[in-house]
């Protein structure tokens, strides 16, 4: 009996949603979270897709602007479409941290499921203006739009005090109400990349934000956040978590190791055959932490 219920729960968890918007609304209501991984090419994309398949979970893959620019949004869309043909679960494609409206428009035109317009480094007024432009452009295509408010530390984003990075509740409300954006990344103390000390998450601020707006929230800086904090955040309204550094650093570390071992005979598919399971291993580890319910 227990097994039947578990299987049923799994089927409900992995149900195919008609739209990504529908999925996010349901995830926020049921305190679940879509795991989203930054990928760079067909190899780490393959690792994420296979890991998600083995764990029977919906997943999102995200391209940072340099990845989208180098591969083009059209080619990345086609790559993901190819993998979708062999995957059992939903794979959604997202443009991550675009600071320009233009790149968001290109991704929308190429058929991305979701785009992020990152106006966290400009004034609230400018952020609202940029976000609204992307929301309006995305509307007819039904593409999800993510905005950011507050700062995610790391990678050149330096902060001097808590007030500097924590999202202001009044500003979050203003941005949400003025733009009608679908999902909102909020600064609550996490940092991009490996951090020398454990990031201190400000759960009190998260609680205030979650009470202030009904939108699904996004937790950035997924590498290095302890599992218990990830899970607590999910229960408090984080419906998408971004995980990047652990994927590309694993990829680069083992690729370098294998290339050095192979020397002049280094041949990409043989190298990647060794590297892929390593990436899959870390992705599965993070999927376990996120899909804890
Ligand atoms: P990490 O690199 O810390 O995992 O963060 C990724 C991220 O937030 C991308 O938007």
């Amino acid at each position: 009996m227990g097994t039947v219920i578990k299987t049923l729960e799994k089927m409900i968890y992995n149900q195919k949603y008609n739209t990504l918007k529908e999925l996010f609304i349901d995830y926020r209501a049921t305190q679940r979270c879509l795991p989203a991984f930054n990928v760079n090419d067909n190899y780490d994309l393959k690792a994420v897709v296979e890991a998600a398949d083995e764990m029977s979970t919906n997943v999102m893959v995200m391209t940072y602007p340099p990845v989208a620019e180098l591969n083009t949004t059209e080619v990345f869309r086609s790559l993901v479409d190819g993998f979708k043909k062999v995957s059992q679960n939903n794979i959604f494609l997202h443009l991550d941290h675009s600071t320009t409206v233009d790149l968001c428009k290109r991704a929308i035109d190429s058929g991305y499921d979701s785009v992020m317009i990152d106006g966290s480094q400009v004034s609230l007024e400018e952020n609202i203006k940029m976000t609204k432009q992307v929301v309006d452009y995305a509307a007819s295509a039904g593409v999800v739009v993510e905005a950011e408010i507050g700062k995610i530390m790391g990678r050149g984003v330096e902060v001097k005090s808590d007030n500097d990075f924590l999202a202001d509740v009044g500003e979050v409300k203003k941005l949400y109400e003025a733009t009608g954006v679908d999902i909102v990344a909020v600064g609550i103390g996490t940092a991009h990349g490996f951090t020398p000390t454990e990031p201190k998450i400000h759960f009190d601020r998260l609680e205030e934000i979650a009470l202030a707006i009904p939108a699904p929230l996004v937790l950035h800086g997924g590498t290095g956040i302890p599992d218990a904090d990830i899970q607590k955040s999910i229960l408090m309204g984080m419906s998408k978590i971004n995980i990047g550094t652990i994927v590309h650093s694993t990829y680069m570390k083992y690729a370098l190791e294998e290339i050095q071992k192979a020397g002049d005979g280094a041949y990409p598919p043989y190298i990647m055959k060794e590297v892929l399971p390593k990436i899959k291993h870390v992705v599965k580890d993070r999927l376990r932490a996120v899909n804890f319910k």
Side-chain angles (χ1 to χ4, degrees):
M1 186 64 182
T3 322
V4 174
I5 291 172
K6 264 273 168 266
T7 312
L8 206 63
E9 272 176 5
K10 227 174 175 184
M11 278 168 61
I12 293 167
Y13 187 91
N14 297 324
Q15 66 185 273
K16 296 256 178 191
Y17 290 86
N18 290 324
T19 65
L20 179 57
K21 286 188 197 214
E22 217 178 76
L23 176 146
F24 276 128
I25 291 166
D26 184 44
Y27 274 27
R28 165 94 206 242
T30 55
Q31 298 165 312
R32 286 181 290 161
C33 183
L34 185 67
F37 295 91
N38 294 102
V39 292
N40 303 281
D41 58 25
N42 59 314
Y43 292 117
D44 52 9
L45 171 60
K46 181 176 166 65
V48 171
V49 170
E50 286 183 7
D53 246 15
E54 284 171 28
M55 310 265 308
S56 303
T57 179
N58 295 321
V59 76
M60 178 175 264
V61 290
M62 310 185 288
T63 56
Y64 274 127
V67 179
E69 298 282 5
L70 187 64
N71 294 277
T72 76
T73 48
E74 286 79 15
V75 168
F76 227 94
R77 178 68 267 178
S78 306
L79 260 178
V80 173
D81 284 342
F83 281 106
K84 276 177 77 168
K85 289 186 189 144
V86 293
S87 168
Q88 306 304 312
N89 306 290
N90 290 301
I91 310 168
F92 300 101
L93 176 60
H94 172 85
L95 173 69
D96 201 21
H97 283 291
S98 174
T99 52
T100 69
V101 172
D102 177 62
L103 184 58
C104 288
K105 286 184 176 175
R106 269 189 277 151
I108 293 166
D109 291 345
S110 303
Y112 272 48
D113 302 292
S114 167
V115 295
M116 175 187 195
I117 178 73
D118 180 354
S120 62
Q121 303 297 316
V122 295
S123 68
L124 178 65
E125 288 64 37
E126 190 59 27
N127 192 352
I128 288 175
K129 198 171 138 206
M130 288 161 75
T131 304
K132 185 80 177 88
Q133 280 174 10
V134 178
V135 167
D136 288 346
Y137 195 85
S140 59
V143 171
V144 166
V145 180
E146 176 178 338
E148 176 170 326
I149 195 144
K151 296 190 175 94
I152 317 295
M153 293 175 283
R155 282 200 213 116
V157 178
E158 296 315 327
V159 290
K160 294 177 192 79
S161 71
D162 275 13
N163 282 343
D164 231 19
F165 68 81
L166 285 186
D168 177 273
V169 184
E171 290 192 357
V172 172
K173 212 165 170 320
K174 207 165 161 192
L175 176 119
Y176 175 69
E177 284 167 3
T179 62
V181 73
D182 299 294
I183 56 177
V184 187
V186 288
I188 54 165
T190 59
H192 283 128
F194 292 114
T195 46
T197 52
E198 244 175 43
K200 182 184 172 328
I201 301 194
H202 292 248
F203 288 105
D204 47 347
R205 185 57 56 94
L206 173 56
E207 188 177 17
E208 289 167 358
I209 294 170
L211 280 171
I213 62 164
L217 303 173
V218 184
L219 183 62
H220 279 243
T223 299
I225 305 178
D227 292 4
D229 284 354
I230 289 179
Q231 292 160 3
K232 187 169 170 186
S233 308
I234 293 171
L235 295 175
M236 292 175 72
M238 288 296 189
S239 311
K240 169 174 177 264
I241 179 171
N242 287 13
I243 301 164
T245 302
I246 191 68
V247 175
H248 73 245
S249 60
T250 303
Y251 183 166
M252 292 295 105
K253 176 175 179 263
Y254 288 102
L256 180 65
E257 223 175 270
E258 290 301 323
I259 291 167
Q260 279 169 343
K261 259 198 260 169
D264 286 349
Y267 180 50
Y270 294 167
I271 299 290
M272 292 317 301
K273 217 168 164 219
E274 301 304 320
V275 176
L276 234 118
K278 311 284 189 197
I279 307 174
K280 244 166 100 173
H281 179 77
V282 293
V283 170
K284 280 170 96 169
D285 178 62
R286 291 304 75 210
L287 287 174
R288 249 176 244 116
V290 177
N291 296 344
F292 67 107
K293 294 219 286 183

